[in-house]
Each structure stands twice: as structure tokens, then as C-alpha cells.
Amino acid sequence: CLDAPLFVEVMFRFVLCVPLVALLGPRWTILISGLAFALLHVLNGNPAPTNCIAGFILAWAYLRSGTLLIPIILHALGNLALLALSFYPVFFAK
């Protein structure tokens, strides 16, 4: 829940967003970064429309806050929530 968000957020927000925002502005940066984030998840076998939405939100959070800490925390919390939901049938199955 922490390793992947740390690596992915550094790559997508710092390596991708910083040059893109200088070249294209925040709106295009959020769009491109979100789509790339979703594509990475598709390529890694986790295709879900929520990945695209999360990518948009995480890019916006980075640009708005100016720090990697916020998207890293949001990403980790999202992964933790999905992990918790994956255990739901185990604990609540009848």
C-alpha cells in the first residue's frame, strides 16, 4: 500500500507533471497524466475506469498542493481502501 504509491507518484507527478505543466499548462497535464496512470494500470492487469479518475485527482492534488506528499498519501489510502474491500467477503460472508 505504500511502495507502489511512492514509486508511481514520483514517476507520474514529478517526472511527468513537472515538464508537462511547463509546456501545456495544468489542464492538459491533468488529462495526460490521468490517462497515462490509467494505461499503466491496464498494462499491469488492473483495468478499471476508477484508475483514470484517480489519475486525474492525483495529478490535480499534486499541482494544487505543490508537494508529492499529498498524492502519495491519497494513493496509499486508495490502495488501502481497496485492500480492505477485498477482505469484505472473507469477514462478512454468510
Side-chain angles (χ1 to χ4, degrees), residues 75-91:
H75 194 157
L77 288 173
N79 285 0
L80 185 61
L82 290 172
L83 179 64
L85 285 173
S86 72
F87 286 109
Y88 181 82
V90 172
F91 293 112

Side-chain angles (χ1 to χ4, degrees), residues 11-58:
M11 295 305 294
F12 276 87
R13 309 311 154 212
F14 187 70
V15 174
L16 184 64
C17 286
V18 170
L20 280 180
V21 78
L23 291 170
L24 304 173
R27 291 179 191 225
W28 281 105
T29 298
I30 291 168
L31 178 68
I32 293 167
S33 179
L35 293 173
F37 184 82
L39 178 62
L40 173 74
H41 284 80
V42 169
L43 295 174
N44 285 325
N46 186 12
T50 54
N51 290 327
C52 195
I53 295 165
F56 296 148
I57 292 169
L58 294 169

